[in-house]
Amino acid sequence: ERAAAQTTLSELEALCERLPEEIAQAQASVAKLTSEETMLRNSNRLRLEELDSAQQACVELRKALTPLRATRDAQEQQLTSLAEQKAADADEITRIMGQTREFDERLA
């Protein structure tokens, strides 16, 4: 029994000798994980700030585009009106030329 107790005591002493090193390793692992967590939090915070800035830029862009769209729509309406007027003018010119031809034929 004494030999078994001596072996157990030796094992406990060896374990006690290794404990400071294992504790130091565990503390280093915790410190590394804490550092990595801090870096991830900082990275995520920066990414969130970038996304917030991008979202704000989109809001400002939409505000800037509103009057441009209104101008574009007005110009499209003007072009449509001009095209309709041009078609009406072309029809009028064709009618006048036809009348002129008829008048020339009567004179001839």
Side-chain angles (χ1 to χ4, degrees):
E1 264 183 46
R2 184 172 168 88
Q6 186 65 32
T7 301
T8 302
L9 183 58
S10 295
E11 289 172 352
L12 286 174
E13 287 175 345
L15 179 61
C16 288
E17 286 178 22
R18 287 193 316 265
L19 275 178
E21 181 182 330
E22 290 184 24
I23 290 171
Q25 288 175 352
Q27 288 173 334
S29 292
V30 168
K32 181 180 177 186
L33 288 173
T34 301
S35 174
E36 289 173 356
E37 179 186 13
T38 300
M39 288 187 329
L40 282 173
R41 285 180 190 267
N42 288 338
S43 175
N44 287 341
R45 182 180 47 78
L46 290 174
R47 182 68 178 137
L48 184 58
E49 289 173 3
E50 290 172 355
L51 291 172
D52 285 343
S53 294
Q55 184 178 21
Q56 183 59 36
C58 286
V59 167
E60 292 173 15
L61 182 58
R62 283 188 190 109
K63 285 180 186 177
L65 286 175
T66 299
L68 294 175
R69 286 187 179 122
T71 300
R72 179 202 61 203
D73 292 346
Q75 288 174 342
E76 286 177 354
Q77 183 59 42
Q78 286 176 336
L79 286 174
T80 300
S81 294
L82 287 172
E84 291 169 354
Q85 184 61 47
K86 182 177 178 181
D89 289 348
D91 289 346
E92 180 68 12
I93 290 169
T94 302
R95 186 185 65 74
I96 292 171
M97 288 177 64
Q99 288 177 349
T100 303
R101 219 177 291 119
E102 288 174 14
F103 182 73
D104 287 346
E105 289 172 359
R106 282 191 226 150
L107 289 177

